[in-house]
Amino acid sequence: MANQHLMATYNRIDTAFEQGQGSWLFDTNGNKYFDLISGIAVCGLGHSHPEVTRAIKEQAGRLIHTSNLYQIPLQSKLADLLAEVSGMEKAFFCNSGAEANEAAIKLARLYGHQHGIDSPNIIVMEGSFHGRSMATLTATGSRKAQAGFEPLLSGFIRVPYNDAEALKDIAKNNSNVVAVLLEPIQGEGGIVIPDKDYLNKIREICNDNQWLMMLDEVQTGNGRTGTYFAYQHNQIIPDVVTTAKGLGNGFPIGACLASGKAANVFQPGNHASTFGGNPLACAAALATVTSIQKEDLCAKAAATGEKMLTALKEQLKFADYVKDVRGIGMMIGIELDSPCAELLVLAKAKGLLLNVTADSVIRLLPALNISEEEADLAVNTLAKLIKVYAADDRGRERRAKPRSGDDRRKSR
Ligand SMILES: *Cc1c(COP(=O)(O)O)cnc(C)c1O
């Protein structure tokens, strides 16, 4: 039921939830759902996590907001903690992923100007997603998202993802490049996982050219892929990292982290946010990050994710309409051979909340702390569902066009 006073920016599913507990959501009609999307990688600790709830309640009763005109001890504490888990040096706090990336883009441009480059360029990737503000929309590699909002910003160069050679070519011909901005794994782009050494190659190219290596970990961060940040799989330290989504377990907060040559680019007056890093947001994030540490959720996400991935591959191995099952930690994509948005309706009817991205990729972003039984339940229900969907009219219709090698279909 669309509300006449809401802008029509979303195609919403006609369900409202009124309560959540762990990986479970309860709608206004008393139906129970297994949440495999976690508010799009936001509620990594599950819903109503006691530590986060307690921190928000206590802080709300004490002090919600002051201003960055003053010292904010909780903000300092959170900056220290993020430095510890990330290996980065400095933090700027904001309220969303787009804002964190805006800060990164501004930092890169200022870095360029400080080094005598008046028209700095930032290299971005095909298939990327960085947000909906004008600069982050420009950086985003989706014509569909950009259409109608021109003129976009200048100063961005786009290259194919997972192609380090493309960066080397630009390095030879363009002396105005100041930074590379990319996701370690493309989330909205369809859970696209690059080669294992891709980030290492980019680190090297950035070092060779004095470019800033800037990673958008808004979706991949905060334990999602089995390490606190995804770049930690590669044993590198980027110059800039952005985070948001899972940082406050649902309380809005984002951060732009910097190290090395990026650490001291911003000086007083260069950038700001009224709400950014206020006491309430920092209390929520401190409770979230501390809980991720205490409950060993990076390791847990790695182990549960691996188990789910293996089981999904096993259960779907004879399904020829499944093109690929891939993932790392609790970030899993099941790519079908045709658009499958309708699967969401079927899944919801079976009590499963998931998401489809890049038209044909079923995306799972479960809470990091789901139990083994819950993981089994998710895999079994979903695998069955995909088979039913593929066999019914909606699935068959779209796949009516014969493909080469279709006779390889095996029994299920
Ligand atoms: C969601 C997302 C963003 C945007 O975050 P918002 O909080 O919606 O502004 C940016 N980058 C990536 C990789 C994301 O997944």
Side-chain angles (χ1 to χ4, degrees), residues 124-189:
V124 291
M125 302 294 154
E126 289 172 7
S128 64
F129 182 80
H130 298 296
R132 300 288 194 151
S133 67
M134 281 314 305
T136 59
L137 181 65
T138 303
T140 290
S142 160
R143 277 305 303 151
K144 210 169 105 191
Q146 293 172 338
F149 299 105
E150 299 83 357
L152 300 172
L153 272 64
S154 58
F156 290 86
I157 301 171
R158 197 168 303 283
V159 299
Y161 191 59
N162 197 22
D163 181 355
E165 290 304 313
L167 297 181
K168 288 186 188 165
D169 288 343
I170 292 173
K172 279 179 217 146
N173 306 314
N174 188 324
S175 55
N176 285 332
V177 174
V178 293
V180 184
L181 171 65
L182 73 154
E183 299 152 88
I185 292 158
Q186 291 188 333
E188 304 303 304

Short mmCIF file of all heavy atoms in Angstrom, two decimals, residues 124-189:
data_model
loop_
_atom_site.label_atom_id
_atom_site.label_comp_id
_atom_site.label_asym_id
_atom_site.label_seq_id
_atom_site.Cartn_x
_atom_site.Cartn_y
_atom_site.Cartn_z
N VAL A 124 37.62 4.64 -11.37
CA VAL A 124 36.53 3.85 -10.78
C VAL A 124 36.22 2.66 -11.69
O VAL A 124 36.74 2.58 -12.80
CB VAL A 124 35.26 4.72 -10.56
CG1 VAL A 124 35.50 5.74 -9.45
CG2 VAL A 124 34.82 5.41 -11.85
N MET A 125 35.37 1.77 -11.22
CA MET A 125 35.19 0.48 -11.90
C MET A 125 33.82 0.33 -12.57
O MET A 125 32.82 0.85 -12.10
CB MET A 125 35.32 -0.66 -10.87
CG MET A 125 36.64 -0.67 -10.15
SD MET A 125 37.99 -1.03 -11.28
CE MET A 125 39.35 -0.23 -10.42
N GLU A 126 33.81 -0.45 -13.63
CA GLU A 126 32.54 -0.88 -14.22
C GLU A 126 31.82 -1.77 -13.22
O GLU A 126 32.47 -2.56 -12.52
CB GLU A 126 32.79 -1.65 -15.53
CG GLU A 126 33.27 -0.76 -16.66
CD GLU A 126 33.71 -1.54 -17.89
OE1 GLU A 126 33.52 -2.78 -17.93
OE2 GLU A 126 34.27 -0.90 -18.81
N GLY A 127 30.51 -1.63 -13.13
CA GLY A 127 29.71 -2.49 -12.26
C GLY A 127 29.75 -2.10 -10.79
O GLY A 127 29.21 -2.81 -9.94
N SER A 128 30.37 -0.96 -10.48
CA SER A 128 30.52 -0.57 -9.08
C SER A 128 29.27 0.09 -8.53
O SER A 128 28.41 0.56 -9.29
CB SER A 128 31.69 0.41 -8.94
OG SER A 128 31.40 1.60 -9.65
N PHE A 129 29.18 0.14 -7.21
CA PHE A 129 28.14 0.94 -6.56
C PHE A 129 28.77 1.68 -5.39
O PHE A 129 29.39 1.08 -4.52
CB PHE A 129 26.97 0.09 -6.05
CG PHE A 129 25.89 0.94 -5.43
CD1 PHE A 129 24.98 1.62 -6.23
CD2 PHE A 129 25.82 1.11 -4.06
CE1 PHE A 129 24.01 2.44 -5.67
CE2 PHE A 129 24.84 1.93 -3.49
CZ PHE A 129 23.94 2.60 -4.31
N HIS A 130 28.59 3.02 -5.38
CA HIS A 130 29.18 3.81 -4.30
C HIS A 130 28.20 4.74 -3.62
O HIS A 130 28.60 5.46 -2.70
CB HIS A 130 30.37 4.60 -4.84
CG HIS A 130 31.48 3.74 -5.36
ND1 HIS A 130 32.20 2.88 -4.55
CD2 HIS A 130 31.98 3.57 -6.62
CE1 HIS A 130 33.11 2.24 -5.29
NE2 HIS A 130 32.99 2.63 -6.54
N GLY A 131 26.93 4.77 -4.07
CA GLY A 131 25.96 5.63 -3.39
C GLY A 131 25.19 6.49 -4.38
O GLY A 131 25.38 6.39 -5.59
N ARG A 132 24.31 7.33 -3.84
CA ARG A 132 23.36 8.08 -4.67
C ARG A 132 23.56 9.58 -4.66
O ARG A 132 22.78 10.31 -5.27
CB ARG A 132 21.94 7.75 -4.20
CG ARG A 132 21.57 6.28 -4.31
CD ARG A 132 21.39 5.85 -5.74
NE ARG A 132 20.72 4.55 -5.81
CZ ARG A 132 19.95 4.17 -6.83
NH1 ARG A 132 19.79 4.96 -7.86
NH2 ARG A 132 19.39 2.99 -6.82
N SER A 133 24.53 10.08 -3.90
CA SER A 133 24.82 11.51 -3.97
C SER A 133 25.49 11.79 -5.31
O SER A 133 25.89 10.86 -6.01
CB SER A 133 25.75 11.91 -2.82
OG SER A 133 27.01 11.31 -3.02
N MET A 134 25.63 13.04 -5.71
CA MET A 134 26.11 13.31 -7.07
C MET A 134 27.53 12.77 -7.34
O MET A 134 27.77 12.17 -8.38
CB MET A 134 26.06 14.82 -7.38
CG MET A 134 24.67 15.33 -7.73
SD MET A 134 23.72 14.34 -8.92
CE MET A 134 24.80 14.24 -10.31
N ALA A 135 28.43 12.93 -6.39
CA ALA A 135 29.79 12.42 -6.63
C ALA A 135 29.82 10.90 -6.60
O ALA A 135 30.45 10.26 -7.45
CB ALA A 135 30.77 12.98 -5.60
N THR A 136 29.09 10.30 -5.66
CA THR A 136 29.13 8.84 -5.56
C THR A 136 28.33 8.20 -6.69
O THR A 136 28.66 7.11 -7.15
CB THR A 136 28.60 8.36 -4.19
OG1 THR A 136 27.26 8.82 -4.00
CG2 THR A 136 29.47 8.87 -3.06
N LEU A 137 27.30 8.90 -7.17
CA LEU A 137 26.54 8.42 -8.34
C LEU A 137 27.43 8.46 -9.58
O LEU A 137 27.40 7.54 -10.41
CB LEU A 137 25.30 9.29 -8.55
CG LEU A 137 24.38 8.93 -9.70
CD1 LEU A 137 23.74 7.57 -9.48
CD2 LEU A 137 23.31 9.98 -9.90
N THR A 138 28.24 9.49 -9.69
CA THR A 138 29.18 9.58 -10.81
C THR A 138 30.18 8.43 -10.73
O THR A 138 30.52 7.82 -11.75
CB THR A 138 29.93 10.93 -10.78
OG1 THR A 138 28.97 12.00 -10.80
CG2 THR A 138 30.84 11.07 -11.98
N ALA A 139 30.62 8.12 -9.54
CA ALA A 139 31.59 7.04 -9.36
C ALA A 139 30.97 5.67 -9.60
O ALA A 139 31.66 4.70 -9.94
CB ALA A 139 32.18 7.09 -7.95
N THR A 140 29.65 5.58 -9.42
CA THR A 140 28.93 4.31 -9.59
C THR A 140 28.91 3.89 -11.06
O THR A 140 28.68 4.71 -11.94
CB THR A 140 27.49 4.47 -9.05
OG1 THR A 140 27.55 4.58 -7.63
CG2 THR A 140 26.61 3.28 -9.42
N GLY A 141 29.14 2.61 -11.31
CA GLY A 141 29.21 2.12 -12.69
C GLY A 141 27.90 1.57 -13.19
O GLY A 141 27.84 0.44 -13.66
N SER A 142 26.86 2.35 -13.08
CA SER A 142 25.55 1.91 -13.56
C SER A 142 24.86 3.05 -14.30
O SER A 142 24.45 4.04 -13.69
CB SER A 142 24.68 1.45 -12.38
OG SER A 142 23.31 1.45 -12.74
N ARG A 143 24.72 2.90 -15.60
CA ARG A 143 24.06 3.92 -16.40
C ARG A 143 22.61 4.11 -15.96
O ARG A 143 22.06 5.20 -16.01
CB ARG A 143 24.12 3.57 -17.90
CG ARG A 143 25.40 3.94 -18.59
CD ARG A 143 25.76 5.42 -18.45
NE ARG A 143 24.72 6.32 -18.94
CZ ARG A 143 24.50 7.54 -18.48
NH1 ARG A 143 25.22 8.02 -17.49
NH2 ARG A 143 23.52 8.29 -18.98
N LYS A 144 21.99 3.00 -15.54
CA LYS A 144 20.60 3.03 -15.12
C LYS A 144 20.43 3.97 -13.91
O LYS A 144 19.50 4.76 -13.86
CB LYS A 144 20.14 1.61 -14.75
CG LYS A 144 18.67 1.35 -14.99
CD LYS A 144 18.36 -0.14 -14.85
CE LYS A 144 17.65 -0.43 -13.54
NZ LYS A 144 17.56 -1.85 -13.24
N ALA A 145 21.36 3.89 -12.97
CA ALA A 145 21.28 4.73 -11.77
C ALA A 145 21.58 6.19 -12.10
O ALA A 145 21.03 7.10 -11.48
CB ALA A 145 22.25 4.21 -10.71
N GLN A 146 22.42 6.40 -13.12
CA GLN A 146 22.85 7.77 -13.44
C GLN A 146 21.86 8.50 -14.34
O GLN A 146 21.78 9.73 -14.30
CB GLN A 146 24.21 7.74 -14.14
CG GLN A 146 25.36 7.27 -13.26
CD GLN A 146 26.64 7.07 -14.04
OE1 GLN A 146 26.62 6.89 -15.26
NE2 GLN A 146 27.76 7.08 -13.33
N ALA A 147 21.09 7.73 -15.13
CA ALA A 147 20.24 8.33 -16.17
C ALA A 147 19.26 9.34 -15.57
O ALA A 147 18.57 9.06 -14.61
CB ALA A 147 19.48 7.24 -16.91
N GLY A 148 19.26 10.52 -16.17
CA GLY A 148 18.34 11.57 -15.73
C GLY A 148 18.96 12.54 -14.76
O GLY A 148 18.34 13.55 -14.41
N PHE A 149 20.16 12.25 -14.31
CA PHE A 149 20.79 13.12 -13.30
C PHE A 149 22.01 13.86 -13.84
O PHE A 149 22.78 14.44 -13.08
CB PHE A 149 21.12 12.32 -12.05
CG PHE A 149 19.88 11.73 -11.42
CD1 PHE A 149 19.60 10.38 -11.56
CD2 PHE A 149 18.97 12.54 -10.77
CE1 PHE A 149 18.43 9.84 -11.02
CE2 PHE A 149 17.81 12.03 -10.23
CZ PHE A 149 17.53 10.67 -10.36
N GLU A 150 22.17 13.83 -15.16
CA GLU A 150 23.27 14.55 -15.77
C GLU A 150 23.03 16.06 -15.61
O GLU A 150 21.87 16.47 -15.52
CB GLU A 150 23.38 14.18 -17.26
CG GLU A 150 23.64 12.71 -17.55
CD GLU A 150 22.37 11.86 -17.53
OE1 GLU A 150 21.29 12.41 -17.25
OE2 GLU A 150 22.48 10.66 -17.79
N PRO A 151 24.02 16.92 -15.57
CA PRO A 151 25.42 16.57 -15.76
C PRO A 151 26.04 15.93 -14.52
O PRO A 151 25.83 16.39 -13.41
CB PRO A 151 26.08 17.93 -16.03
CG PRO A 151 25.20 18.92 -15.35
CD PRO A 151 23.81 18.37 -15.42
N LEU A 152 26.79 14.85 -14.77
CA LEU A 152 27.53 14.21 -13.70
C LEU A 152 28.82 15.00 -13.47
O LEU A 152 29.11 15.95 -14.19
CB LEU A 152 27.84 12.76 -14.08
CG LEU A 152 26.60 11.89 -14.34
CD1 LEU A 152 27.00 10.54 -14.90
CD2 LEU A 152 25.77 11.72 -13.09
N LEU A 153 29.60 14.60 -12.48
CA LEU A 153 30.85 15.30 -12.20
C LEU A 153 31.93 14.90 -13.21
O LEU A 153 31.86 13.80 -13.79
CB LEU A 153 31.35 14.95 -10.80
CG LEU A 153 30.84 15.80 -9.64
CD1 LEU A 153 29.34 15.64 -9.50
CD2 LEU A 153 31.54 15.42 -8.36
N SER A 154 32.88 15.76 -13.40
CA SER A 154 34.04 15.39 -14.21
C SER A 154 35.11 14.80 -13.27
O SER A 154 34.95 14.82 -12.06
CB SER A 154 34.58 16.62 -14.94
OG SER A 154 34.94 17.60 -14.00
N GLY A 155 36.16 14.27 -13.86
CA GLY A 155 37.27 13.81 -13.03
C GLY A 155 37.21 12.34 -12.65
O GLY A 155 37.87 11.93 -11.70
N PHE A 156 36.40 11.55 -13.37
CA PHE A 156 36.36 10.11 -13.10
C PHE A 156 36.70 9.34 -14.37
O PHE A 156 36.24 9.68 -15.45
CB PHE A 156 34.98 9.69 -12.59
CG PHE A 156 34.68 10.19 -11.20
CD1 PHE A 156 34.14 11.46 -11.00
CD2 PHE A 156 34.97 9.42 -10.08
CE1 PHE A 156 33.88 11.95 -9.73
CE2 PHE A 156 34.71 9.90 -8.80
CZ PHE A 156 34.16 11.17 -8.62
N ILE A 157 37.50 8.32 -14.24
CA ILE A 157 37.88 7.46 -15.36
C ILE A 157 37.43 6.05 -15.01
O ILE A 157 37.71 5.55 -13.91
CB ILE A 157 39.42 7.45 -15.57
CG1 ILE A 157 39.93 8.86 -15.82
CG2 ILE A 157 39.80 6.51 -16.71
CD1 ILE A 157 41.45 8.96 -15.81
N ARG A 158 36.71 5.40 -15.94
CA ARG A 158 36.17 4.07 -15.63
C ARG A 158 36.96 2.97 -16.33
O ARG A 158 37.30 3.10 -17.50
CB ARG A 158 34.70 4.00 -16.03
CG ARG A 158 33.95 2.84 -15.37
CD ARG A 158 32.46 2.96 -15.55
NE ARG A 158 31.93 4.22 -15.04
CZ ARG A 158 31.73 4.50 -13.75
NH1 ARG A 158 32.02 3.59 -12.83
NH2 ARG A 158 31.26 5.66 -13.37
N VAL A 159 37.25 1.92 -15.60
CA VAL A 159 37.95 0.76 -16.18
C VAL A 159 37.19 -0.51 -15.81
O VAL A 159 36.39 -0.51 -14.88
CB VAL A 159 39.41 0.65 -15.67
CG1 VAL A 159 40.22 1.87 -16.04
CG2 VAL A 159 39.44 0.42 -14.16
N PRO A 160 37.44 -1.61 -16.52
CA PRO A 160 36.80 -2.88 -16.15
C PRO A 160 37.28 -3.34 -14.77
O PRO A 160 38.45 -3.11 -14.42
CB PRO A 160 37.27 -3.86 -17.23
CG PRO A 160 37.80 -3.03 -18.34
CD PRO A 160 38.29 -1.76 -17.72
N TYR A 161 36.39 -3.99 -14.03
CA TYR A 161 36.75 -4.55 -12.71
C TYR A 161 37.62 -5.77 -12.91
O TYR A 161 37.50 -6.47 -13.93
CB TYR A 161 35.45 -4.92 -11.99
CG TYR A 161 35.59 -5.28 -10.53
CD1 TYR A 161 36.11 -4.38 -9.61
CD2 TYR A 161 35.17 -6.52 -10.06
CE1 TYR A 161 36.21 -4.69 -8.26
CE2 TYR A 161 35.26 -6.85 -8.71
CZ TYR A 161 35.79 -5.93 -7.82
OH TYR A 161 35.88 -6.24 -6.48
N ASN A 162 38.48 -6.04 -11.96
CA ASN A 162 39.35 -7.23 -11.99
C ASN A 162 40.30 -7.21 -13.18
O ASN A 162 40.62 -8.24 -13.74
CB ASN A 162 38.50 -8.52 -12.01
CG ASN A 162 39.31 -9.75 -11.64
OD1 ASN A 162 40.35 -9.65 -11.00
ND2 ASN A 162 38.85 -10.90 -12.06
N ASP A 163 40.75 -6.03 -13.56
CA ASP A 163 41.67 -5.89 -14.69
C ASP A 163 42.77 -4.91 -14.28
O ASP A 163 42.70 -3.71 -14.53
CB ASP A 163 40.90 -5.39 -15.92
CG ASP A 163 41.80 -5.24 -17.14
OD1 ASP A 163 43.03 -5.44 -17.02
OD2 ASP A 163 41.27 -4.92 -18.22
N ALA A 164 43.82 -5.43 -13.65
CA ALA A 164 44.90 -4.57 -13.16
C ALA A 164 45.68 -3.95 -14.31
O ALA A 164 46.21 -2.85 -14.20
CB ALA A 164 45.83 -5.37 -12.24
N GLU A 165 45.72 -4.66 -15.44
CA GLU A 165 46.46 -4.15 -16.60
C GLU A 165 45.88 -2.82 -17.08
O GLU A 165 46.61 -1.94 -17.53
CB GLU A 165 46.45 -5.18 -17.74
CG GLU A 165 47.29 -6.42 -17.47
CD GLU A 165 48.74 -6.11 -17.12
OE1 GLU A 165 49.37 -5.30 -17.84
OE2 GLU A 165 49.25 -6.65 -16.13
N ALA A 166 44.56 -2.70 -16.99
CA ALA A 166 43.90 -1.46 -17.43
C ALA A 166 44.42 -0.26 -16.64
O ALA A 166 44.54 0.85 -17.17
CB ALA A 166 42.39 -1.58 -17.28
N LEU A 167 44.74 -0.49 -15.37
CA LEU A 167 45.27 0.59 -14.54
C LEU A 167 46.68 0.96 -14.97
O LEU A 167 47.06 2.14 -14.99
CB LEU A 167 45.29 0.18 -13.06
CG LEU A 167 43.94 -0.12 -12.41
CD1 LEU A 167 44.15 -0.49 -10.95
CD2 LEU A 167 43.02 1.07 -12.51
N LYS A 168 47.45 -0.04 -15.33
CA LYS A 168 48.83 0.22 -15.78
C LYS A 168 48.83 1.05 -17.06
O LYS A 168 49.66 1.94 -17.23
CB LYS A 168 49.57 -1.10 -16.01
CG LYS A 168 49.92 -1.82 -14.71
CD LYS A 168 50.78 -3.05 -14.99
CE LYS A 168 50.96 -3.86 -13.71
NZ LYS A 168 51.46 -5.21 -13.98
N ASP A 169 47.89 0.76 -17.96
CA ASP A 169 47.79 1.53 -19.20
C ASP A 169 47.51 3.00 -18.90
O ASP A 169 48.10 3.89 -19.51
CB ASP A 169 46.67 0.97 -20.09
CG ASP A 169 47.06 -0.37 -20.69
OD1 ASP A 169 48.27 -0.68 -20.69
OD2 ASP A 169 46.16 -1.10 -21.16
N ILE A 170 46.59 3.24 -17.94
CA ILE A 170 46.26 4.62 -17.60
C ILE A 170 47.46 5.31 -16.96
O ILE A 170 47.75 6.48 -17.23
CB ILE A 170 45.04 4.66 -16.66
CG1 ILE A 170 43.79 4.19 -17.43
CG2 ILE A 170 44.82 6.06 -16.11
CD1 ILE A 170 42.57 4.02 -16.59
N ALA A 171 48.19 4.57 -16.14
CA ALA A 171 49.35 5.15 -15.47
C ALA A 171 50.37 5.68 -16.49
O ALA A 171 51.03 6.69 -16.25
CB ALA A 171 50.01 4.11 -14.57
N LYS A 172 50.46 5.01 -17.66
CA LYS A 172 51.42 5.42 -18.69
C LYS A 172 51.01 6.74 -19.34
O LYS A 172 51.84 7.53 -19.74
CB LYS A 172 51.51 4.34 -19.78
CG LYS A 172 52.42 3.18 -19.40
CD LYS A 172 52.46 2.14 -20.53
CE LYS A 172 52.51 0.73 -19.95
NZ LYS A 172 51.78 -0.25 -20.78
N ASN A 173 49.68 6.95 -19.46
CA ASN A 173 49.19 8.06 -20.28
C ASN A 173 48.56 9.22 -19.53
O ASN A 173 48.27 10.24 -20.12
CB ASN A 173 48.16 7.52 -21.30
CG ASN A 173 48.71 6.38 -22.10
OD1 ASN A 173 49.83 6.46 -22.58
ND2 ASN A 173 47.94 5.30 -22.21
N ASN A 174 48.28 9.06 -18.25
CA ASN A 174 47.53 10.10 -17.55
C ASN A 174 48.23 10.46 -16.24
O ASN A 174 48.31 9.66 -15.32
CB ASN A 174 46.11 9.58 -17.27
CG ASN A 174 45.22 10.67 -16.70
OD1 ASN A 174 45.67 11.52 -15.94
ND2 ASN A 174 43.96 10.66 -17.08
N SER A 175 48.72 11.69 -16.20
CA SER A 175 49.46 12.11 -14.99
C SER A 175 48.55 12.83 -13.99
O SER A 175 49.03 13.34 -12.99
CB SER A 175 50.61 13.03 -15.40
OG SER A 175 50.11 14.10 -16.17
N ASN A 176 47.26 12.90 -14.31
CA ASN A 176 46.33 13.58 -13.39
C ASN A 176 45.61 12.64 -12.44
O ASN A 176 44.76 13.06 -11.67
CB ASN A 176 45.28 14.36 -14.19
CG ASN A 176 45.87 15.63 -14.78
OD1 ASN A 176 46.82 16.19 -14.22
ND2 ASN A 176 45.33 16.07 -15.90
N VAL A 177 45.91 11.34 -12.54
CA VAL A 177 45.25 10.38 -11.66
C VAL A 177 45.78 10.54 -10.23
O VAL A 177 46.99 10.67 -10.02
CB VAL A 177 45.46 8.93 -12.14
CG1 VAL A 177 44.89 7.93 -11.14
CG2 VAL A 177 44.82 8.74 -13.51
N VAL A 178 44.87 10.59 -9.26
CA VAL A 178 45.29 10.72 -7.86
C VAL A 178 44.87 9.52 -7.01
O VAL A 178 45.39 9.31 -5.92
CB VAL A 178 44.72 12.00 -7.21
CG1 VAL A 178 45.34 13.23 -7.87
CG2 VAL A 178 43.19 12.05 -7.32
N ALA A 179 43.88 8.75 -7.50
CA ALA A 179 43.35 7.67 -6.66
C ALA A 179 42.61 6.63 -7.48
O ALA A 179 42.17 6.90 -8.60
CB ALA A 179 42.41 8.25 -5.61
N VAL A 180 42.49 5.44 -6.90
CA VAL A 180 41.63 4.39 -7.44
C VAL A 180 40.59 4.08 -6.37
O VAL A 180 40.96 3.88 -5.20
CB VAL A 180 42.43 3.10 -7.75
CG1 VAL A 180 41.54 2.05 -8.41
CG2 VAL A 180 43.62 3.41 -8.63
N LEU A 181 39.33 4.07 -6.74
CA LEU A 181 38.26 3.76 -5.79
C LEU A 181 37.55 2.50 -6.25
O LEU A 181 37.08 2.43 -7.39
CB LEU A 181 37.26 4.92 -5.72
CG LEU A 181 35.96 4.67 -4.93
CD1 LEU A 181 36.24 4.45 -3.45
CD2 LEU A 181 34.99 5.85 -5.11
N LEU A 182 37.48 1.49 -5.38
CA LEU A 182 36.82 0.25 -5.77
C LEU A 182 36.31 -0.53 -4.56
O LEU A 182 36.74 -0.28 -3.43
CB LEU A 182 37.77 -0.65 -6.58
CG LEU A 182 38.89 -1.35 -5.80
CD1 LEU A 182 39.30 -2.61 -6.53
CD2 LEU A 182 40.10 -0.45 -5.63
N GLU A 183 35.38 -1.44 -4.82
CA GLU A 183 34.92 -2.37 -3.79
C GLU A 183 35.80 -3.63 -3.87
O GLU A 183 36.06 -4.12 -4.95
CB GLU A 183 33.47 -2.78 -4.06
CG GLU A 183 32.46 -1.64 -4.04
CD GLU A 183 31.27 -1.94 -4.94
OE1 GLU A 183 30.31 -2.55 -4.47
OE2 GLU A 183 31.32 -1.57 -6.13
N PRO A 184 36.20 -4.17 -2.73
CA PRO A 184 37.00 -5.42 -2.74
C PRO A 184 36.20 -6.58 -3.32
O PRO A 184 36.77 -7.50 -3.92
CB PRO A 184 37.29 -5.68 -1.27
CG PRO A 184 36.94 -4.45 -0.54
CD PRO A 184 35.98 -3.67 -1.38
N ILE A 185 34.89 -6.55 -3.11
CA ILE A 185 33.95 -7.48 -3.75
C ILE A 185 32.77 -6.61 -4.14
O ILE A 185 32.29 -5.82 -3.31
CB ILE A 185 33.49 -8.57 -2.77
CG1 ILE A 185 34.66 -9.51 -2.43
CG2 ILE A 185 32.33 -9.39 -3.35
CD1 ILE A 185 34.48 -10.24 -1.14
N GLN A 186 32.32 -6.71 -5.38
CA GLN A 186 31.19 -5.86 -5.77
C GLN A 186 29.89 -6.46 -5.25
O GLN A 186 29.52 -7.57 -5.61
CB GLN A 186 31.16 -5.69 -7.29
CG GLN A 186 32.34 -4.84 -7.79
CD GLN A 186 32.23 -4.50 -9.27
OE1 GLN A 186 31.61 -5.22 -10.05
NE2 GLN A 186 32.85 -3.39 -9.66
N GLY A 187 29.20 -5.70 -4.41
CA GLY A 187 27.97 -6.19 -3.79
C GLY A 187 26.76 -6.00 -4.69
O GLY A 187 26.21 -6.97 -5.22
N GLU A 188 26.37 -4.74 -4.90
CA GLU A 188 25.21 -4.46 -5.75
C GLU A 188 25.45 -5.00 -7.15
O GLU A 188 24.51 -5.39 -7.84
CB GLU A 188 24.94 -2.95 -5.82
CG GLU A 188 24.73 -2.27 -4.48
CD GLU A 188 23.61 -2.87 -3.68
OE1 GLU A 188 22.47 -2.93 -4.18
OE2 GLU A 188 23.87 -3.31 -2.55
N GLY A 189 26.69 -5.02 -7.58
CA GLY A 189 27.05 -5.49 -8.91
C GLY A 189 26.84 -6.99 -9.11
O GLY A 189 26.99 -7.50 -10.22
#
